[in-house]
Amino acid sequence: GLDMEFTGLHSVFPVNNKPSLFDSPAEWYLKARQSVQRFTISQFGLAIFSHEKPNKYVVHSYNFFIFPSTFGATDPEFTLSASSIQFLSHYGFDYNKFLKDGIPYMNELQEKSLRQYLLAGSWKVCSVLHRDIMKKAIDEVTSWIAGAKEEETMILRDLCGFQMFEVQLVLRRALQNVWTQPLGDNEVMVKKVSPQHRRLLENSPHDPCRKERILTSARGFTNLFQALVKAKKPLVGHNMLMDLLHLHDKFYKPLPESYEEFKRNIHSLFPVLIDTKALTKSVWKDHPFPRVSNLLEVYEVLCSSDLNPTDPMCPVIVLASGCSRYAVKSSPHEAGYDAFLCGSVLLKVAHLLLCKSTGGTAEADPPFSEYLGVLVKCLNQVHFTGGAVSSINFSGVDVPCRRPPLLVVHVQGWRGLSERHIYHELKTLCRFHIQRLSENQFILQSNKFKHIRLALRDYKDHPHLRISLYRRWRHSPHVSCLLRVCSIVALWSLVAFVLGGAP
Amino acid sequence: GLDMEFTGLHSVFPVNNKPSLFDSPAEWYLKARQSVQRFTISQFGLAIFSHEKPNKYVVHSYNFFIFPSTFGATDPEFTLSASSIQFLSHYGFDYNKFLKDGIPYMNELQEKSLRQYLLAGSWKVCSVLHRDIMKKAIDEVTSWIAGAKEEETMILRDLCGFQMFEVQLVLRRALQNVWTQPLGDNEVMVKKVSPQHRRLLENSPHDPCRKERILTSARGFTNLFQALVKAKKPLVGHNMLMDLLHLHDKFYKPLPESYEEFKRNIHSLFPVLIDTKALTKSVWKDHPFPRVSNLLEVYEVLCSSDLNPTDPMCPVIVLASGCSRYAVKSSPHEAGYDAFLCGSVLLKVAHLLLCKSTGGTAEADPPFSEYLGVLVKCLNQVHFTGGAVSSINFSGVDVPCRRPPLLVVHVQGWRGLSERHIYHELKTLCRFHIQRLSENQFILQSNKFKHIRLALRDYKDHPHLRISLYRRWRHSPHVSCLLRVCSIVALWSLVAFVLGGAP
């Protein structure tokens, strides 16, 4: 199970970047991509479900605060949206843990430039603070080394994070007769050595400043991401499309421009995706559960013995000792808790489906592969909010929805009408998504055939609003503009013909 | 005294937006403006110096955490840069106070759209959290009101910030037979009333939901900014140019495109500016102080009795009771502390200058206007980092520096040379700012005449690098391109002439 908290969802920049219900998945992707490039992940929740004992799953759930890696020549920037800050604050998010103690991470492109930076051996200051700390360290060492004997040592204190590496790299490069070694997390020992000794030490495989070791440190959380990719385990999320975009962008590669390429990449990284939102939406149809979609509510419905009578065969889910507080108290929108909920919902729904498919005679303690078997229709189907498709298929082509037709409203004798007025006029009848087509025409979209029928019937004789089915050929402004151009061309041909025949 | 901490200084977006030493103030302004639009103020320090007793100034110093106002239809976004986060973290900044409890503020443009939003009376959800809270409140009230009698009341709990207003506005608009009233900071009392009673209450000047009251709340910290503007007191900062850009953008109006308009606006808002960085730079010339420029170091130099012998006439600066911790322990880069340092440095330097101008016979307890008198050359001169001018003059035209001439390096027989190579080659001699002019030419800039002389002398006979004075006419690629075009045109004219004469 996996869940993430972000610093923002859909950016208001650039203008008109907000997704609309009319967007196809590819259109939505291009807009969301711009937001993903601006915002970042503040918390990464991972819940690992292990089938340890018969019919029992043990969950290890983790909350990682992560923060873009600051090692190297670039100074990462990211955006916060006020509404996301308020949302997370409401659920008790600790910004100091995120911004002060976040674990670094980088994608493959950033790793490549860090590699080049380390190879080039140049050292670029990108912050005043670092420059001051470096300057102080260099001053201390140069004034000490003049009077020091070989094998004498001194200690630099109060360093933190990547400063530990940077100080050592800079000192070794500047002075051929020193050696450096980290002492704990915040101190570096500097030793005066002979150049021969120095060469020996430099070639030791145990040097903590070897390039590969530095890269492993700088990669930070990305090491865990890569382990996840290698494990090829099913990845479970709830409404996880945005999570997948961030996974790709932050830990793998910057999001490609092509939506299809994004889908292919995610599928090759994570061949088995399960979205519990898409899953429950499709299962709810056949079960008498309340139609909740919020993750915690779904979990509570599935756990409630009234709605979901206890079945002795249902797998028992136990939280490991380090994360038992989740068993006592719900912590919605804490990434580790939501990740735990995702995995639990999946197991419970899979068990329901398995019981149903076997007519209640499921064997005790079925292997997980049997659960995957009954989920087969939902694998790699990720929930999509919008009219064009109901889910995105990561293992193939997206299947378009059978959608109710669009309506068009012609306004007559009611000037200055906006989308908002139309919305208020219609809202007692039904809810439509409304978009202006021209000066006096608006398109209405609804997901319900019933609403379309109601609107057509009730507005048949309205004095100002005439509602009819939208026909692309007749109503699209592009098409009618084309028709007008055609007729103008035809007119001119006629004029030319007449004039041509005149003399 | 005033000081601010920001979420970032110079953005790396858009590309090539980093200020260079070659920038004129107007060029610098256009780049900085883009960064100011992205970043925001996280902490605002204000130290008010009152001349309360003879020769004694009492300081009230305040630290305000501020956060863009979230009331209305927009969801503000701002950017953080990792280096600024690390910088502030190093000095103990508390991000929870900034992001969870920041005081709201808005500039005049934002206030105007909020005013229109309130007038329009429509209500737009811009966050999932708000929508859920509103929905819950409306559900509670509608299910209660059906069975309630007139004058009965109920209480809505767990509201915070602007939700207090939003809930009341929405309920009053939806239901003609309720009245609402805030109870403390987190609760709203809802009362069932008759429509007549409701009309009476609505017209009461004491209604806490009157538009002007809501606007005052939403303006938040901007009310204090406006009081500062009205007070017309001298405003003291250290290296305060960036602070002035943010003041204009966040509390007054979005930064104009024109640099001159920005200067005029700031001058009319704050007619007396004093930048202690520009001030000390000009005073240091005539005093035997160490050339420190960091604010805390400047303050310590001025306080040290060795360097600045105690003068019984020097005004005593006393911290008020609420902020006495600043007297015990220095807290650099805490905005309130730095604001206190600014004002103190100003008073101490002004006293030095006054003593000097009167030959040590200054009267006891001079009025502040006498201090302003000796500072006259430095008033409204704000420090500028760059070669073009040494300070920006907010009360007139900027005076260009008498700058050392630029040099140009011709590279011969040394391929693939970059700015970095040139820098390393020259750095033992002196530091230059280097910019590529063409394939094999680089411009060197230094602020010191001495370095120019040294470089010209030492590289006279270098095998690969020829250094000479830069002449715009000869070296600019535009000019030499123009010359080449001219010569081509001339050649073609000749050809045409010859051909024309041929037959």
Side-chain angles (χ1 to χ4, degrees), chain B residues 209-264:
Chain B
C209 280
R210 288 186 83 82
K211 209 175 77 223
E212 283 310 318
R213 294 209 182 185
I214 294 180
L215 281 171
T216 303
S217 275
R219 234 177 358 239
F221 190 76
T222 304
N223 293 306
L224 194 141
F225 168 82
Q226 290 169 352
L228 274 181
V229 169
K230 272 209 199 94
K232 300 279 175 225
K233 295 284 176 199
L235 201 66
V236 187
H238 187 81
N239 198 4
M240 71 196 297
L241 188 52
M242 217 45 175
D243 303 58
L244 293 173
L245 265 77
H246 274 283
L247 273 183
H248 191 299
D249 191 65
K250 302 297 184 286
F251 308 122
Y252 178 54
K253 284 175 184 173
L255 284 172
E257 281 193 49
S258 149
Y259 164 66
E260 294 299 335
E261 189 183 338
F262 159 70
K263 274 176 60 179
R264 277 196 305 274

Side-chain angles (χ1 to χ4, degrees), chain A residues 197-232:
Chain A
H197 190 189
R198 158 81 181 250
R199 242 164 287 136
L200 267 176
L201 291 164
E202 254 170 355
N203 295 321
S204 149
H206 304 298
D207 177 11
C209 280
R210 288 185 82 83
K211 209 175 76 222
E212 283 309 320
R213 293 207 181 185
I214 294 180
L215 281 171
T216 303
S217 276
R219 233 175 1 237
F221 191 76
T222 304
N223 293 306
L224 195 141
F225 168 81
Q226 290 168 352
L228 274 181
V229 169
K230 272 211 197 92
K232 300 278 175 226

Side-chain angles (χ1 to χ4, degrees), chain A residues 216-334:
Chain A
T216 303
S217 276
R219 233 175 1 237
F221 191 76
T222 304
N223 293 306
L224 195 141
F225 168 81
Q226 290 168 352
L228 274 181
V229 169
K230 272 211 197 92
K232 300 278 175 226
K233 295 284 176 200
L235 201 66
V236 187
H238 188 81
N239 198 4
M240 71 195 298
L241 188 51
M242 218 43 176
D243 303 59
L244 294 173
L245 265 78
H246 274 283
L247 273 182
H248 190 299
D249 191 65
K250 302 297 184 286
F251 307 123
Y252 178 55
K253 284 175 183 173
L255 284 172
E257 280 192 50
S258 149
Y259 164 65
E260 295 298 335
E261 189 183 337
F262 159 70
K263 274 176 60 179
R264 277 196 306 274
N265 290 347
I266 288 289
H267 189 55
S268 71
L269 292 170
F270 301 107
V272 185
L273 295 175
I274 305 169
D275 184 338
T276 50
K277 181 144 185 172
L279 174 65
T280 49
K281 233 176 38 178
S282 86
V283 170
W284 270 198
K285 285 181 199 152
D286 310 325
H287 284 84
F289 287 134
R291 300 278 167 113
V292 292
S293 73
N294 169 300
L295 179 60
L296 181 58
E297 289 170 344
V298 169
Y299 176 74
E300 282 168 348
V301 161
L302 289 168
C303 288
S304 131
S305 53
D306 294 347
L307 296 165
N308 192 17
T310 318
D311 166 1
M313 297 300 150
C314 186
V316 178
I317 298 168
V318 184
L319 279 152
S321 56
C323 32
S324 51
R325 76 178 159 106
Y326 287 159
V328 188
K329 191 172 173 294
S330 69
S331 313
H333 302 293
E334 187 171 303

Side-chain angles (χ1 to χ4, degrees), chain A residues 51 54 73-74 95 101 113 149 153 157 174 181 199 202 247 263 266 269 273 335 359 453 457 467 489 501:
Chain A
H51 193 175
T74 52
Y95 287 97
D101 305 323
S113 32
K149 295 204 190 89
T153 61
R157 290 171 214 280
Q181 217 170 300
R199 242 164 287 136
E202 254 170 355
L247 273 182
K263 274 176 60 179
I266 288 289
L269 292 170
L273 295 175
R453 273 198 307 275
R457 196 192 63 194
I467 298 186
V489 170

